[in-house]
Amino acid sequence: RAMKVLGLPRRDWAGEPSHGLAMVVVWASWHHLPFTFILLYTPLLGIPKDLYEAAQVDGAGAWHKFTRITVPLLVPAMLVALVFRYIFAFRIFSEVWLLTGGGPARSTEVLAVYLYRQAFRYSDFGTAAATGWLMLIASLLMGSWYIWQMYRRMFKA
């Protein structure tokens, strides 16, 4: 109905391979948006107003305040949000399974759905276990990269 109000044609979002993945991406993004918003908004509230006032006195405009004060101070929170989104993207299952079941034509099949199918539909537990381990190792590598970056940033020589 909303599509009709906007003047857009009706689509079978879950049935067309070209639209299924877009639907999953939009829903997953919308589903995890509040958590990401809190991760980014909380440190934004912690930026001292004195920095903006000093920049104002020095003649900085809104763009310079944003690029020279806000963004650099939010980089750690952005990295945390990025790591969480990466890990959430790896473990995404329910959104894909409920919306499309990995279809149509396997166009929305993500690693977690692949793992589930290998284990419980095809009883190929070896492939499923290997997929799970690869997902775990990739998540650990990403988390380790983040911790290493934070360590370097905190203890610069």
Side-chain angles (χ1 to χ4, degrees):
R1 181 175 172 147
M3 301 277 285
K4 186 177 180 182
V5 171
L6 294 173
L8 298 172
R10 260 188 97 125
R11 298 252 186 236
D12 181 16
W13 291 96
E16 294 182 32
S18 61
H19 297 120
L21 188 58
M23 180 180 65
V24 170
V25 167
V26 167
W27 188 32
S29 298
W30 184 258
H31 182 242
H32 294 287
L33 185 67
F35 180 69
T36 306
F37 175 79
I38 289 171
L39 283 177
L40 296 176
Y41 186 64
T42 305
L44 184 64
L45 293 176
I47 297 175
K49 302 292 183 216
D50 299 346
L51 295 174
Y52 293 110
E53 291 171 4
Q56 183 77 30
V57 169
D58 289 343
W63 178 252
H64 276 47
K65 288 184 211 174
F66 178 72
T67 58
R68 306 292 170 113
I69 298 172
T70 306
V71 172
L73 292 176
L74 287 181
V75 165
M78 288 182 207
L79 285 174
V80 169
L82 181 68
V83 168
F84 273 113
R85 288 301 305 138
Y86 179 79
I87 292 170
F88 289 161
F90 255 158
R91 67 176 190 87
I92 189 172
F93 175 79
S94 60
E95 290 91 343
V96 174
W97 193 253
L98 291 173
L99 287 173
T100 63
R106 298 177 74 170
S107 65
T108 61
E109 187 175 73
V110 294
L111 283 174
V113 172
Y114 174 77
L115 186 150
Y116 177 81
R117 282 194 175 153
Q118 292 300 316
F120 300 112
R121 182 171 291 170
Y122 306 123
S123 297
D124 187 2
F125 295 107
T127 302
T131 303
W133 274 106
L134 289 174
M135 290 169 61
L136 175 69
I137 290 169
S139 296
L140 286 174
L141 286 174
M142 184 64 180
S144 299
W145 175 82
Y146 168 74
I147 291 170
W148 179 69
Q149 289 293 325
M150 286 295 101
Y151 180 82
R152 276 188 35 199
R153 186 178 175 131
M154 289 172 58
F155 300 111
K156 270 189 200 175

